[in-house]
Amino acid sequence: MAFRTIIEPFRIQSVAPLRMTTPEQRRSAIEAAGYNLFGLHSDDVMIDLLTDSGTGAMSRDQWAAIQHGDESYAGSPSFEIFRDAVQGLFPFKHVIPTHQGRAAEKIIFTVLGGKGRTIPSNTHFDTTRANIEYTGAEAVDLVIAEGRDPANLHPFKGNMDVAALDAFLDRNAGRVPVVFVTITNNSGGGQPVSLANLRATHAVCRKHGVPLFLDACRFAENAWFIREREPGQHDRAVADIVRDMAALADGMTMSAKKDPMGNIGGWLALNDDALAEQCRNLLILTEGFPTYGGLAGRDLEALAQGLKEVVDHDYLRYRIRSTAYLGEALARSGIPVVQPIGGHAVYLDARALLPQIAPLQYPGQALAVALYEVGGVRGCEIGTVMFGRHPDGSEQPAALDLVRLAIPRRTYTQSHIDYVIEVCQEVAAAAGTLRGYRIVAEPRQLRHFTARFAPLA
């Protein structure tokens, strides 16, 4: 591109107002929420970067597809349109719709998990880990060493440590029902996995007779990074790269609230007939009939259209560059961020920015609260709070303490992002004055959603 300015490859046809708040209003709101960003009312948030899950703007053609939705309980043609769109990119034999990604995780791990079993991944996300541990199984992360170093510029920091996986499968023969690879690796900074690494992971899984599944909710962004960074992949169609990734797996879980551009939805897809039958039985018990799975026909139609739009090169170029625009501006300001910049989010290194706050005083939470109080920007702690206590109740610092600024798809303009940059700069300038937090109430699992905090004196 000849020009520095990143323009959105769309026009805006509908807008929603932002409520402009004062620092005093925000301090009152966050105190009432127990200093938990999830507890805020969205009207009290000016720029909401808590998550990119289900928060994007649907297109004109997606809204038109909603009108086409057929709400028949069984055998809806909307399911066939949805299934064909999924299989056009992920040609698995069985496509099982769910209301969102964690429902697909709940089903597959209920079938495959259980006490005495262990499930490795490059890095499990929090709901994935919780669904595994809820069955009594163990969730293990085997990302490459570079993936644990926020400053390392390795182009594929989400890669599986293939040698470690091989050794792990040797040590745990008969205990591993499935291997998962998350693309992109959300908990590790939105970092991609290379096609070569997927091939090597596939080969190790075949060697040990263990199926390989993808947690693929940001598959298109991962494919774009492969196209841009991996030798031999440049100028290939993103859709073809996606099909290559899918061909290396035996199944997948999907939160369709990310790359498929939906506000709700997900699916489980796989090839094994017997496993699919068990999963469908659980689907009927917990979600709904196999041709809707917890979704309305209109949702299925919107997702089918979103799958066409997400592999568009103009969209992906804008998406990746606009996220990098935020990350690069923060890095130039001296704010430590995970490098290279990921696809869906910028991750602030809270532990590096706030060295005076010990990990068990939750520097990520302190930074996230400060961003909200100063400028009304809501981010998400990805670290010691999120990953919680071990099953035995003990607590250890996470490998990283980050704050994720996740960019909703097609929602904010460049001026919104420029404002976020200014807020981050303001907070960073006063970083030495920030203090840690203690938890005053927490559930046993997934505590970051509902825990309540108090600032340390």
Side-chain angles (χ1 to χ4, degrees), residues 204-272:
V204 168
C205 289
R206 286 292 175 269
K207 170 185 170 183
H208 292 273
V210 176
L212 172 63
F213 272 54
L214 302 176
D215 176 351
C217 55
R218 296 176 182 88
F219 68 93
E221 294 172 6
N222 198 97
W224 183 263
F225 281 124
I226 287 173
R227 184 180 185 271
E228 294 294 296
R229 296 179 182 177
E230 190 162 357
Q233 301 301 320
H234 191 63
D235 290 334
R236 293 190 65 201
V238 162
D240 289 338
I241 296 173
V242 173
R243 294 182 191 104
D244 283 352
M245 293 191 295
L248 295 167
D250 300 288
M252 66 183 298
T253 58
M254 171 65 80
S255 170
K257 298 165 69 177
K258 282 85 169 179
D259 271 358
M261 306 281 202
N263 296 134
I264 197 67
W267 68 81
L268 171 65
L270 63 164
N271 288 325
D272 186 283

Side-chain angles (χ1 to χ4, degrees), residues 40 100 117 132 170 205 251 266 284 305 308 316 414 452:
L40 292 168
Q100 61 179 14
R117 296 189 173 185
I132 291 169
D170 266 334
C205 289
I284 294 170
Q305 177 61 30
K308 298 175 185 176
L316 283 167
Q414 190 164 325
R452 295 183 67 84

